Amino acid sequence: MTKERKPKNVFKEGAISSEFIAESIAKHQSKTSIGAHNIFLGQVRADAIDGKTVSAIEYTAYEDMANPKFHEIRETTFSKFNLTCMHIYHSLGTVKSGEICLFVFVSSPRRKEVFKALEYVVEEIKAKVPVYGKEIFEDSTHQWKVNS
Amino acid sequence: MTKERKPKNVFKEGAISSEFIAESIAKHQSKTSIGAHNIFLGQVRADAIDGKTVSAIEYTAYEDMANPKFHEIRETTFSKFNLTCMHIYHSLGTVKSGEICLFVFVSSPRRKEVFKALEYVVEEIKAKVPVYGKEIFEDSTHQWKVNS
Amino acid sequence: MQLQIKYFGLIAEITNCDKETIEFSKTLISELLEELYDKYPSLKQKDFKVAQNHEIVSNNSKITNPEIALLPPFSGG
Amino acid sequence: MQLQIKYFGLIAEITNCDKETIEFSKTLISELLEELYDKYPSLKQKDFKVAQNHEIVSNNSKITNPEIALLPPFSGG
């Protein structure tokens, strides 16, 4: 891929709405070389831990490192897979349980590519991007989220 | 899984709109055991074949067989993967290039499950469900779509 | 026995109809196909499978259901 | 040299601040960590990595940038 892509700000304040996702899908209808889209959505779970229930996650990030890391992941993914486009959005701040905190969207002429690419991107984000989730319980106590 | 799921009508007349997809996503915000959604969207490509461009696909199906097959795929997928829910919609009739003709939506507490489950469902649909796509060119000639 | 034969996709273009009822006195799918090949010779060159009771069946199968479908390769999604 | 140290997640709770500026006269990450362990003894029990120039670096690395970040395990997504 020779086309140059500029680093974008991946972060959005608060939850990612279903309307935002719909607009993003609709924008791709003019790209008629696309045959397959694959979308990953991370949703905040109301996990019960020691009798207390998670009511929200508060996300913070080392943004100066996270945005370049997201960009690096984008570039590597474009070089590994035949994708037409890719979009990544991650929440910062408070996201309530049931709301969406991560939106990854890949598109390609062929379906085999999007399956491989999407899983790659999501795993890379989890492993390489300095984002922190603070699980807030209903009684306002908290614990730091650990990815599994 | 002991919960019984009734066969649904998977088919929708015409293209699947981004608003419909958004509503489907929004409905899952009350299911707070979900941590990960994975969505596959099939979009009609404006393929150029022998100098002619596909402007639409007209879908027909052996519905009496297709709906039970979709149901069978749902049941098998639920038994193989730890999913909270699954939705499948396929277009019948005319879907223009750039529009969406297949919408598969799986949700689980954990992301690893949704990646495996979604690819499984999509491949099963392609292989086992009697649906036919007639590619309509701009000059109104046509050819029958072949899946790769 | 009266059979209703359903045709789909490219096959329906060859038969020029989506379904038809035929009188059939033999027992196997392969025998039905022989009759259909007589009626529509260009069917022979085409790739399709036969479904009975909404399942793909082999040509050696007995006909047990009055509805038989001729299914060219699927192209959904 | 003046260093700005940034703290995140659980680490920022231990240091009770998101960032601080410290005067540092040695050369290695490991030497910086010794000073931080003196200041925040409970840091020693915690799992974290050190980033310089927005990349994870080993404790043997030389400090070349005035911004250093202490990063506990990531939990995005």
Side-chain angles (χ1 to χ4, degrees):
Chain A
M1 301 293 291
T2 53
K3 200 173 116 197
E4 200 186 323
R5 281 167 293 265
K6 287 184 204 141
K8 295 179 182 179
N9 182 14
V10 159
F11 292 109
K12 283 180 73 72
E13 193 59 34
I16 296 161
S17 72
S18 54
E19 292 80 10
F20 180 83
I21 297 163
E23 279 166 37
S24 191
I25 293 168
K27 276 181 197 159
H28 289 76
Q29 305 216 331
S30 59
K31 300 196 178 178
T32 56
S33 66
I34 293 173
H37 303 290
N38 199 354
I39 293 172
F40 179 86
L41 303 174
Q43 182 167 302
V44 173
R45 280 196 312 271
D47 279 352
I49 300 163
D50 297 335
K52 295 191 287 185
T53 302
V54 172
S55 64
I57 294 182
E58 236 178 76
Y59 283 103
T60 51
Y62 182 18
E63 290 184 65
D64 290 346
M65 175 170 165
N67 275 311
K69 280 287 163 198
F70 276 120
H71 183 67
E72 210 177 288
I73 292 169
R74 276 177 63 81
E75 292 299 305
T76 312
T77 308
F78 270 112
S79 74
K80 278 177 177 283
F81 307 99
N82 175 27
L83 294 184
T84 311
C85 43
M86 178 189 334
H87 304 277
I88 306 174
Y89 299 96
H90 198 298
S91 294
L92 282 185
T94 303
V95 181
K96 283 181 268 188
S97 61
E99 292 183 330
I100 288 162
C101 57
L102 174 61
F103 171 27
V104 183
F105 187 0
V106 297
S107 309
S108 167
R110 303 278 164 196
R111 72 182 183 282
K112 309 262 183 205
E113 293 295 304
V114 295
F115 291 125
K116 288 183 289 180
L118 187 70
E119 184 165 8
Y120 176 81
V121 173
V122 173
E123 295 302 329
E124 285 287 289
I125 291 171
K126 297 261 179 189
K128 296 193 177 162
V129 183
V131 175
Y132 299 100
K134 186 176 170 179
E135 294 173 321
I136 314 290
F137 296 107
E138 283 156 342
D139 63 359
S140 295
T141 59
H142 73 265
Q143 73 171 21
W144 290 92
K145 187 174 172 249
V146 177
N147 278 352
S148 56
Chain B
M1 301 293 291
T2 53
K3 202 173 112 198
E4 200 187 322
R5 282 167 291 265
K6 287 187 203 135
K8 295 179 184 180
N9 182 14
V10 159
F11 292 109
K12 283 179 73 74
E13 194 58 37
I16 296 160
S17 71
S18 55
E19 291 80 8
F20 180 83
I21 297 162
E23 277 166 37
S24 191
I25 293 168
K27 276 180 197 159
H28 288 76
Q29 306 217 329
S30 59
K31 299 196 177 176
T32 56
S33 66
I34 293 173
H37 303 289
N38 200 354
I39 294 172
F40 180 85
L41 302 174
Q43 183 167 301
V44 173
R45 280 196 313 268
D47 278 353
I49 300 163
D50 298 334
K52 296 192 288 188
T53 302
V54 172
S55 64
I57 294 182
E58 236 178 77
Y59 284 102
T60 51
Y62 183 17
E63 289 182 66
D64 290 346
M65 175 171 166
N67 276 311
K69 281 288 164 198
F70 276 120
H71 182 67
E72 211 177 288
I73 293 169
R74 276 177 63 80
E75 291 298 305
T76 312
T77 308
F78 270 111
S79 74
K80 279 178 176 283
F81 307 98
N82 174 26
L83 295 183
T84 311
C85 43
M86 177 188 335
H87 305 276
I88 305 175
Y89 300 96
H90 198 298
S91 294
L92 282 186
T94 303
V95 182
K96 284 182 268 187
S97 62
E99 292 183 331
I100 288 162
C101 57
L102 174 61
F103 170 28
V104 184
F105 187 179
V106 297
S107 310
S108 169
R110 303 278 165 196
R111 72 182 184 282
K112 309 262 183 205
E113 292 295 304
V114 294
F115 291 124
K116 288 183 288 180
L118 187 71
E119 184 164 9
Y120 176 81
V121 174
V122 172
E123 295 303 328
E124 286 286 288
I125 291 172
K126 298 260 178 190
K128 297 194 177 161
V129 183
V131 176
Y132 299 99
K134 186 176 171 179
E135 293 173 321
I136 314 290
F137 296 107
E138 283 158 342
D139 64 358
S140 295
T141 59
H142 72 266
Q143 74 170 20
W144 289 92
K145 186 173 174 248
V146 178
N147 277 351
S148 56
Chain C
M1 147 163 84
Q2 281 217 328
L3 296 181
Q4 188 177 57
I5 318 291
K6 295 194 164 189
Y7 305 111
F8 291 89
L10 181 61
I11 302 295
E13 285 192 351
I14 288 171
T15 60
N16 211 20
C17 66
D18 292 339
K19 58 185 173 194
E20 66 180 326
T21 304
I22 67 166
E23 192 56 44
F24 183 67
S25 56
K26 299 179 181 163
T27 49
L28 300 179
I29 297 287
S30 58
E31 293 166 328
L32 172 63
L33 288 178
E34 285 309 318
E35 295 200 7
L36 294 175
Y37 290 150
D38 283 348
K39 190 165 180 186
Y40 309 107
S42 56
L43 263 191
K44 267 193 184 166
Q45 278 80 54
K46 297 301 170 189
D47 180 18
F48 65 89
K49 291 185 169 152
V50 178
Q52 176 172 248
N53 297 317
H54 308 142
E55 294 291 343
I56 305 295
V57 291
S58 78
N59 290 359
N60 308 321
S61 302
K62 273 194 180 166
I63 292 174
T64 58
N65 191 296
E67 181 177 310
I68 301 287
L70 267 55
L71 304 174
F74 309 154
S75 55
Chain D
M1 147 163 82
Q2 280 218 327
L3 296 182
Q4 189 177 57
I5 318 291
K6 294 192 163 191
Y7 305 111
F8 292 89
L10 181 61
I11 302 296
E13 286 193 348
I14 289 171
T15 59
N16 211 19
C17 65
D18 291 339
K19 59 185 173 194
E20 65 179 326
T21 304
I22 65 167
E23 193 55 46
F24 183 67
S25 55
K26 298 179 182 161
T27 48
L28 299 179
I29 297 286
S30 57
E31 292 166 331
L32 172 63
L33 289 179
E34 286 308 318
E35 295 200 8
L36 294 176
Y37 289 149
D38 283 348
K39 191 165 178 186
Y40 308 107
S42 56
L43 264 190
K44 265 193 186 168
Q45 278 81 54
K46 298 300 170 188
D47 180 18
F48 65 87
K49 289 182 171 158
V50 177
Q52 175 171 246
N53 298 317
H54 307 143
E55 295 291 344
I56 305 295
V57 290
S58 77
N59 290 357
N60 307 322
S61 302
K62 272 195 180 165
I63 291 173
T64 59
N65 191 295
E67 182 176 309
I68 301 289
L70 266 55
L71 304 175
F74 308 155
S75 55

